[in-house]
Structures are given as structure tokens and as C-alpha cells.
Amino acid sequence: MPKPKEKTSPGYLKYELKSFEKMPVKIWDDAIDAARSVARSIELAIRQRQQDGEKIVLGLATGSTPIKVYEELVRMHKEDGLSFQNVVTFNLDEYYPMPREAQQSYWRFMHEYLFDHVDIKSENIHIPDGTVPMEKVAEYCERYEKLIDLAGGIDIQLLGIGRTGHIGFNEPGAWETSPTRMVRLDHLTRHDAIKDFQSEDDVPYRAITMGVGSIFKARTVYLMAWGSHKAEIVQQAVEGEISNSVPASFLQKHPNVKVVLDKSAAEELTKMKSPWLAGICNWTEDLICKAVVWLSQQTGKAILKLTDEDYNEHGLSELIIEEAKPYELNIRIFNRLQRTITGWPGGKPHADDTNRPERAKPAKKRVILFSPHPDDDVISMGATFQRLVDQGHEVHVAYQTSGNIAVHDWDALRYAEFMLEFSEKYGEVSEAERNLYQKVIRFLKKKDNSTEDIPEVRSIKGLIRRGEARAGARFTGLDDDHIHFLDMPFYETGRTRKKPLGDEDIRIVADLMEKVKPHQVYAAGDLADPHGTHRVCLEAIFGAYKLLEKESWIKDCWLWMYRGAWHEWAVHEIEMAVPMSPQQLRRKRQAIFMHQSQKDRPPFPGGDVREFWQRAEDRNRETAQTYSALGLAEYEAMEAFVRWKG
Ligand code: F6R
């Protein structure tokens, strides 16, 4: 039997495959590299025009997708002398109504991420105006369109894609030649926007957007997408029929469009999801595992029941010709998956660990569980946390950020009043103290949704979350010496928009690691989430590993990644699956309940209406059901981990 080929990981994945794609697609391992490549193309174009003494017109997008492109352009301006003097910009859209200075305005977004940091002339900046009176909007839009034409048309248009398939705010139903105009936002788009607003009621119903027709006139278009939450709609736009139910699919007709994706956003494309359907594959052991799991799911049969015919009929005959007889292959993959299941996440003492996910020695390990927000520890790995403690390991939990923005004002008010009344009842309340409480109470009673919190309120909100985190960790069996609050500074803006990760953030993480010298580290491995807090917290841990690389103990410090916010690892990726009994699952729920400020509807709940404990249970049950459907043991629920190997 030929040996499976070694896994290679080039920055840009190469597959020599037949294409299902109707637009040119470039897939990068990482969103940051992808964004930098787009920024480089823009830089080259700007410099080229400068040499020719000409202007260049850029069409710009907002949202989370282009942020890294803008950060890189700002870096190029500061470090490589890239000038924006000859750059003219037109933004795609703006919410309506929306004052310029509002926290959520695209006007503010563009200035904060790009315009305030480069030497662009203010008269060259164009952003649809969210304050134009309703009766003048049509005329305003017509003028905007004309201004683009007068500037010579857009040379490079940047686009993100919404989960509805929108480009700009051209929602499903938008027609191909549509111009700049006022539109209504789709329900899903408004839902996704909640991340920037306090509640759904605050998200505007309308926007002014350049049309599909306006976008189409651009000479070059970059459609970018990062993260697995975009994978499905990207697949429809790139591989599906052209249709106004997915407006991004119109781009298939554009003569010069480039789709730039990270691996997660590309995962539903045929060449990534089931490359065997697209042509010849480079059969690594990981890909074989993925194919066998896929086949089992397609046929609804347990792995050990898959036959020659199943492989042949589903485009996998090549695998059994090259690799093995189906039965041998089935057993090999079955064993691989079976071995991921362990009730001993810290390693099983005195057992043969050749095929176990963790090492047996040392029997008692030092462990740090990093939790980006104060509740991710129990939500994402509460049962594993419990087992590690019960099995006698020295477990530390480290809450990386204060999580203060996700506390309702009414909770902060309740605590402020409580503190004032309690001190008045039992203590000598100084004038200064009373003033402090009253200042907070007054502020909270008057506050509206556009006001940023004063530092004292941020601090109360952070303390509320601290108390809850402590309660959850104590419930799991930790004493206070093993509970650490890192309050990483990048998070402390009081807004959803955070600062970039800094050296101090990394140093704080490294200091704790240096103190504990752990054998195991757990972290939220949301590689798919390029801009969120989880990803930044993970970057800080990677940064700490780098800082500590010369330490002798760091080589033995394994990093296990759990999936935080949205979804679970795919089965073929899982390297450790920790099962739970119904009783253990209930216990995990109780730990999650300690986070009372996050119950019912927390601020910034995202688009999912389920509470966090429900999301966690559904996800853990689903993993167990997936394992059982593959013909492995049947458990109530499972938490899953992947090991980071640097
Ligand atoms: C923003 C815009 C939108 C976004 C899209 C994706 O100017 O026009 O089409 O590009 O909603 O948003 P993110 O990047 O936040 O996922």
C-alpha cells in the first residue's frame, strides 16, 4: 500500500483541479495574508498612477472584511512612504438615517480606519450622506453616480459580501443595472449588524448604496470574504447560477473580478469541501479522513459498513485504487477517529499513550485555560475543565478581557444602587464615595444608546463579569489563587471597535505562562474569526509562545484549541473529543448559569436567539451524534479540541 503523502501547507493552496468556479478565486491560509495581498495590489496601482502623474479612483467598502486591508495601507503610508495625494475614493454605502459622528456611521468607520491616518485630500473623499432629507435622497443619489463618472469611473472596487449575498447594500432582489439609490435592509443583514448596535431596534431599516450597475462599471473588482460564516454564500456566488437572489453572483459577468478568500470562507467550494469531485487530489491522510467521513455522511452508513460500490458511486474510486481495500481503509479511519475520544483530557496516568491524544506523563499536569471573555471557559469547555480539576491537575483559568461592554446598563445601575445603599447602611460613607455612586447612578439613568460609558461604569460592568467568572470557576472547583484576570488593554475601548493587539497584551499573557510553566494550554481557536476578540486573544497566545520560545519548558507546552463562538471543528479535524454523560452536561449548564448578566438577552447577542447554555448544549450534542452516526460510541455530548502545532 503506498504511504499517505506528507501534508504540506503552502501559504497559497494549490490544487490542480477541474474548476466548478465561475469567477477566478484565490484562497489564502489566513485572512491577514489575503488582505495584505489586496493592499499590495492597491499600492502598486496607486504608485503606477503616481508615476504617470494621474489620479486613481478607489471604490471602498466598510464592515469587518476590509479592515486589515486598510490597516496595511496605513502601515504602507507610515513605513513605506505610500502617498494618497492622487487617490480619490467613493464609498459604497451608508446607513440611513445616520449622522456622521455616530459610532456606527460608515463615515466614522472610514476616518478611523483609513482617512485620518493617511495624506488623502478631504475633497477627494466621497461617502454617501446619511443625513440628506428623505425628499432629496433620489436627487442626491443621482449626483453621487455622476460624480463617480466625472472622476473617470472606479479603477479598483473593494467588496465584502453579506450573508444574504449582498454587495454594497444590494440585497436579494436587486437588479443587475441598479444605480445608487435608497434601499431597505434585509432582515438577516440587520441581524448581523446587531454586533455594532446595542439592540436590533437601533439598527436602521434603510441605507443609501451604490447599485449593482454602479459596481459593475468598476475596472477591477476584488470580492473578499473571511471566515466560515461566509462559506455558504460564497459558494453560491462563485459556483451557483447568476440570480438576483444572490446579488454577488452578478459578478460572474464582470470581465475583471477577483475573489479573494481565506481557507474558512472557501470551505464550501467544491474543490475544498469534496475535492475528489473536482479532479485529482493530493491524498494526504487528513484528506482521506475527510473523504471517508464525507462518504459515510453522504450514504448515511457507519464507516465500517462502507463498501466498494459506495466508494465507486461517489467519485472516490481513486482512493481505493491508490490506498487500500475499502475494509482496511474503513478500519484505519475508524481507529483514527476512535482514538480521539478520551475521558482523560490531561492524559491517562500509567496508560500506554502511543495512540492517545495526550501524554500520560507527567500524571499531574499544570494547565492554563485561557478564556477570551469571562464565560468562554465554561461555555466552550466546561466539562473538560471539570474533568481536569477532578483528575487532580493544577488548573489555572485566565480571563483575557474584562468583557465589560456586554453588560446591560440596568445591571450596572442595580449594582451601583446596591453599593450606595449597603455602604450607607453599614459604613461611614465619605462625601467622595457618595458623589462617586451618585455620579454613576445619574449617568446611567440619563444614558441613551449613543453615549459611551464613563470609566466608572465600565469598571462596574467589568467587576460584574469578574464576579460571575469567579463563581463559575469556583463552582468547577478552583480556588482564588488559580483564577486570573488579565484585562488585556486592547479590549478597553468601551466600544465594540477594539484597538489592535499590542506588545503589552502579549507580555501579560507571557508573564502568566512564565509563572505557571504549563504542560497544557487551552485557548479559543477561532482562526475563522479574523477580527473578533477571540482571534485577537489567540494571536496574543501565539505571540507569547514566540516570546518564550527559548524557554526549555515551552517545547512541552501543548496548546489545545477549543472552538469558541459559532461552530464546532469538523469531525475530520478533531484530535481530542471529551465525552459527557447527561449528568456532566447538566453540571456544565450550572456553571454557565453563574454568568447571570449574560442570561436571556445579553447585549450584543449576535444573530442567534438561543441562550449561551443552549447553544453550547446543542453543539456538544451534535458532535456526539455525528460521532455516533459514523459508527463510533454513542455519548450524550462531547467537547472537541484541535492541537496547534506551531
Ligand atoms: C459595507 C458593505 C457590505 C459589507 C458586507 C459584509 O460597505 O457594503 O456589503 O461588505 O455586509 O460585511 P462584513 O465585512 O462586516 O462581514
Side-chain angles (χ1 to χ4, degrees), residues 29 31 93 134 168 194 273 293 314 342 355 418 502-503 568 600:
D29 268 357
D93 42 21
M134 187 60 111
I194 299 175
K273 190 173 185 185
V293 168
H314 290 83
T342 181
N355 290 315
F418 175 91
D503 292 344
E568 193 49 277
D600 298 324

Side-chain angles (χ1 to χ4, degrees), residues 61-65 92-93 106 160-162 166-169 195 230:
T62 50
S64 58
T65 309
L92 277 169
D93 42 21
Y106 285 167
I161 179 170
H166 71 212
I167 45 176
F169 276 135
K195 64 181 188 304
K230 295 288 174 72

Side-chain angles (χ1 to χ4, degrees), residues 399-413:
Y399 300 102
Q400 290 178 275
T401 68
S402 69
N404 58 12
I405 63 160
V407 175
H408 284 295
D409 292 336
W410 61 70
D411 277 331
L413 179 60

Side-chain angles (χ1 to χ4, degrees), residues 220-501:
T220 301
V221 175
Y222 288 97
L223 176 67
M224 305 176 285
W226 334 129
S228 43
H229 58 301
K230 295 288 174 72
E232 218 165 289
I233 196 70
V234 164
Q235 187 274 338
Q236 289 175 36
V238 171
E239 295 187 352
E241 294 302 315
I242 298 174
S243 141
N244 66 359
S245 58
V246 181
S249 67
F250 286 126
L251 294 171
Q252 291 179 18
K253 291 195 192 172
H254 193 281
N256 194 18
V257 59
K258 300 171 207 283
V259 182
V260 184
L261 306 174
D262 73 347
K263 238 176 16 180
S264 312
E267 68 197 10
E268 289 293 320
L269 294 181
T270 308
K271 73 176 174 195
M272 302 302 280
K273 190 173 185 185
S274 39
W276 43 91
L277 299 181
I280 298 160
C281 303
N282 174 17
W283 285 112
T284 63
E285 190 65 4
D286 289 347
L287 190 60
I288 293 171
C289 181
K290 183 173 176 169
V292 174
V293 168
W294 175 85
L295 183 61
S296 162
Q297 289 169 340
Q298 287 286 311
T299 55
K301 286 183 175 181
I303 290 176
L304 291 176
K305 289 186 183 166
L306 295 171
T307 62
D308 255 325
E309 289 76 44
D310 294 325
Y311 281 90
N312 286 331
E313 283 165 16
H314 290 83
L316 283 168
S317 48
E318 183 196 310
L319 186 55
I320 46 176
I321 296 167
E322 262 203 40
E323 288 297 326
K325 292 198 184 71
Y327 191 65
E328 285 167 24
L329 187 57
N330 294 347
I331 292 210
R332 195 167 95 215
I333 299 305
F334 176 88
N335 284 339
R336 170 180 160 144
L337 295 170
Q338 178 76 15
R339 286 171 188 149
T340 61
I341 304 174
T342 181
W344 299 86
K348 187 169 185 183
H350 318 299
D352 174 6
D353 59 7
T354 324
N355 290 315
R356 289 180 171 276
E358 244 308 342
R359 302 148 292 177
K361 285 185 188 156
K364 299 283 174 235
K365 293 191 172 60
R366 286 186 300 276
V367 179
I368 303 181
L369 193 176
F370 283 105
S371 179
H373 298 99
D375 53 358
D376 292 305
D377 54 340
V378 287
I379 290 174
S380 295
M381 55 169 291
T384 307
F385 184 2
Q386 184 75 63
R387 275 190 194 249
L388 288 163
V389 175
D390 291 348
Q391 289 167 359
H393 301 287
E394 180 188 321
V395 181
H396 295 255
V397 62
Y399 300 102
Q400 290 178 275
T401 68
S402 69
N404 58 12
I405 63 160
V407 175
H408 284 295
D409 292 336
W410 61 70
D411 277 331
L413 179 60
R414 191 150 56 94
Y415 276 86
E417 287 171 340
F418 175 91
M419 287 188 293
L420 176 60
E421 284 173 31
F422 185 77
S423 337
E424 280 177 341
K425 185 157 185 188
Y426 289 107
E428 288 287 298
V429 187
S430 71
E431 202 49 30
E433 217 178 322
R434 179 168 296 113
N435 285 345
L436 172 67
Y437 293 143
Q438 278 166 349
K439 174 180 168 191
V440 168
I441 292 167
R442 258 195 324 272
F443 171 83
L444 284 166
K445 282 188 171 164
K446 275 209 323 249
K447 187 185 162 189
D448 67 30
N449 285 337
S450 56
T451 322
E452 279 175 32
D453 281 338
I454 52 174
E456 294 86 343
V457 170
R458 291 215 309 256
S459 160
I460 292 179
K461 290 182 173 180
L463 288 174
I464 291 174
R465 298 214 65 185
R466 237 179 215 222
E468 293 169 348
R470 213 180 272 124
R474 281 183 190 150
F475 178 83
T476 312
L478 289 198
D479 61 34
D480 293 357
D481 292 344
H482 293 82
I483 304 174
H484 310 267
F485 295 98
L486 305 187
D487 289 342
M488 287 167 62
F490 86 89
Y491 183 89
E492 295 304 318
T493 58
R495 308 166 53 187
T496 47
R497 214 171 280 166
K498 304 292 186 289
K499 287 183 273 186
L501 183 70

Side-chain angles (χ1 to χ4, degrees), residues 49 195 253 269 300 326 350 392 461 477 508 531 550 589 599 611 638:
R49 289 289 172 91
K195 64 181 188 304
K253 291 195 192 172
L269 294 181
H350 318 299
K461 290 182 173 180
I508 290 171
H531 305 294
K550 298 225 159 58
R589 186 193 300 179
K599 272 198 59 57
E611 284 196 32
M638 277 175 165

